[in-house]
Amino acid sequence: MTSGLTIGQAAAFAGVTVKTVRHYHRLGLVEEPRRDSLDHRRYGSSDVLRLVQVRTLAEAGVPLAEIGTMLGADPQQFAADLAQVKQRLTDRIQELIARRDMVDRLAAGNRLLLPDRACALLDRAADLGFPPDYLAQSRESLVLAKALVPWDFDDFLTQIEHSLDDAQYVTLLKRNWEASGWEPDDPRVAELATAITTHLLANPELLAIPTSLQGKTDTAARFGLINDYQAQIAPAWGRLMALVEADLRSAGVDIRGTPP
């Protein structure tokens, strides 16, 4: 009578597939057992125990490349190796949780790309009655601003807070959104530019330039990119911003690097 188990039986008893057993053999994790007279491998209890040990460590997250060394280590080293595996798994869990949170933020649009303070301002603008299209465009502008002026993005947000605190300026901002549908040469563009300029001159805090921006030679270029983006969305905005800038310069205001 032939003693021992076939590879299929050993695999079944150990809870793995025949393909997995052969893979363990190739990696040297489980030695190939003796063969019978018919040249068939015959697995004993020690072979099955080894298969179970390898399978268990693999399922616990231990890389196959490390299992052989761990099974050959003394109890103290084995415990230390397990502690390292646990730490790696903990780090991986935290990484996956962070990615899950990012997916949750993505579900809310570009909130993944903006800090909570900026998102709160967008929510406040919504409460003030700004339409969804305006909020979507503002969100993209904020993402661009954060990328272009990260060192003073908080000051940029402070200016927006001042704007939303000013009921008259909020009305002008809503009128500015209406202008997105106008032709650039529409007389209302010049009228709105005059109204905005007058209000800005009366409320200079809306034009404040963060101190750290004043010494940067490329500040105007950075904010120019934001203005260009807005002008691409609505040509009337390009003319409106140009008129406002010209009026402010005529009034003696240095607007280089002033956020739009």
Side-chain angles (χ1 to χ4, degrees), residues 7 25 64 69 73 84 89 111 116 161 219:
I7 187 172
H25 288 327
L64 291 179
T69 300
Q84 291 182 0
L89 290 174
R111 288 175 180 263
D116 290 339
E161 290 172 344
T219 295

Side-chain angles (χ1 to χ4, degrees), residues 21-72:
V21 174
R22 288 173 175 154
H23 185 54
Y24 289 168
H25 288 327
R26 286 193 295 271
L27 295 178
L29 296 176
V30 178
E31 293 184 3
E32 291 190 30
R34 69 186 187 283
R35 293 177 180 269
D36 60 16
S37 58
L38 298 177
D39 201 32
H40 294 157
R41 296 191 187 98
R42 290 294 172 177
Y43 293 77
S45 57
S46 60
D47 299 314
V48 174
L49 173 61
R50 180 75 174 193
L51 285 171
V52 171
Q53 291 172 330
V54 174
R55 184 212 71 203
T56 302
L57 288 175
E59 290 177 347
V62 180
L64 291 179
E66 299 178 15
I67 289 178
T69 300
M70 288 184 64
L71 288 177

Side-chain angles (χ1 to χ4, degrees), residues 60-233:
V62 180
L64 291 179
E66 299 178 15
I67 289 178
T69 300
M70 288 184 64
L71 288 177
D74 58 49
Q76 184 176 359
Q77 184 60 48
F78 183 80
D81 291 342
L82 277 182
Q84 291 182 0
V85 172
K86 180 179 179 180
Q87 185 59 55
R88 290 202 300 265
L89 290 174
T90 299
D91 294 341
R92 179 59 174 163
I93 290 171
Q94 293 174 344
E95 178 185 347
L96 290 173
I97 291 174
R99 290 187 178 185
R100 182 197 63 190
D101 292 343
M102 289 173 66
V103 170
D104 288 340
R105 290 174 69 87
L106 275 174
N110 280 330
R111 288 175 180 263
L112 171 67
L113 304 175
L114 292 173
D116 290 339
R117 185 184 176 196
C119 295
L121 286 174
L122 291 171
D123 291 339
R124 185 180 174 195
D127 292 339
L128 289 171
F130 285 94
D133 288 347
Y134 174 89
L135 297 174
Q137 186 272 328
S138 297
R139 184 180 298 114
E140 292 178 351
S141 294
L142 285 173
V143 171
L144 186 59
K146 183 176 182 293
L148 292 172
V149 287
W151 53 83
D152 267 313
F153 187 64
D154 281 341
D155 291 316
F156 187 79
L157 296 180
T158 297
Q159 286 186 266
I160 295 176
E161 290 172 344
H162 290 324
S163 298
L164 297 182
D165 287 337
D166 187 326
Q168 185 177 348
Y169 197 60
V170 166
T171 299
L172 290 172
L173 289 175
K174 291 180 179 179
R175 186 65 171 165
N176 178 66
W177 175 249
E178 294 176 11
S180 64
W182 300 347
E183 294 296 326
D185 58 355
D186 189 312
R188 291 175 294 179
V189 174
E191 294 173 2
L192 180 57
T194 299
I196 291 175
T197 302
T198 300
H199 191 78
L200 290 176
L201 291 175
N203 299 272
E205 69 277 2
L206 296 175
L207 286 169
I209 304 174
T211 303
S212 59
L213 283 178
Q214 295 175 358
K216 294 185 179 293
T217 59
D218 63 349
T219 295
R222 289 173 182 270
F223 279 113
L225 286 174
I226 302 173
N227 289 339
D228 287 345
Y229 171 73
Q230 295 177 335
Q232 290 173 14
I233 296 175

